[in-house]
Amino acid sequence: MKKILLLCAMVIMSSCASKLVFPVSNVAPAAEITVKIKKDDNGNREINLNSKYLSSPDRLTPPRASYIVWMQTEANGLLNLGQLETDASEKGSFTTVTAYEPLEIFITAEDDIAIKYPTGQEISRVKI
């Protein structure tokens, strides 16, 4: 009976969102960044990224215009997911849905939000 309950608990936990913590950044060491990835009923991945204590990109050296969230996939290569905006209290959030399975998610500081490949400073990276 205990084995059945343990197996059921493992199945339920595996269907829930996985939460990953980004490692401490050399560029923004105070930043605390997490990402939750959840697979929906259609097989898509919902990505929710949250940051605390991440200063505005214009305070970096050199100053940048924005933070960009990137995803490395096996099927479709590198994707610019969009801009991570931070508020005056140094909190940020980013949510998107993708059909691709992420291998890595990382954040860079960039001058252009529509770029196809990262050119700026990498803030942090997490492998899925």
Side-chain angles (χ1 to χ4, degrees):
M1 183 67 173
K2 286 183 181 180
K3 287 182 181 180
I4 293 173
L5 289 175
L6 180 60
L7 181 60
C8 289
M10 290 174 63
V11 169
I12 291 169
M13 289 175 65
S14 68
S15 65
C16 296
S18 61
K19 181 177 179 180
L20 302 166
V21 178
F22 282 75
V24 174
S25 169
N26 292 332
V27 177
E32 296 176 10
I33 307 168
T34 60
V35 64
K36 288 182 183 176
I37 302 170
K38 180 180 175 183
K39 194 170 183 178
D40 68 15
D41 294 337
N42 296 322
N44 296 317
R45 274 75 176 175
E46 181 180 318
I47 299 172
N48 294 300
L49 190 140
N50 290 292
S51 67
K52 293 192 297 189
Y53 314 117
L54 182 61
S55 63
S56 176
D58 62 359
R59 297 184 67 200
L60 297 173
T61 304
R64 300 294 182 171
S66 61
Y67 291 117
I68 303 297
V69 180
W70 300 89
M71 178 175 73
Q72 181 69 45
T73 70
E74 188 172 328
N76 204 34
L78 184 63
L79 300 172
N80 175 338
L81 295 179
Q83 183 178 4
L84 170 64
E85 296 185 30
T86 55
D87 61 19
S89 65
E90 299 183 337
K91 291 182 181 179
S93 65
F94 174 83
T95 301
T96 191
V97 175
T98 180
Y100 302 107
E101 184 172 352
L103 299 175
E104 291 182 319
I105 294 179
F106 63 100
I107 303 165
T108 61
E110 303 288 352
D111 289 322
D112 180 10
I113 62 172
I115 62 174
K116 300 290 183 198
Y117 299 100
T119 59
Q121 294 170 298
E122 185 173 310
I123 304 304
S124 193
R125 174 186 300 254
V126 67
K127 292 185 182 208
I128 310 302

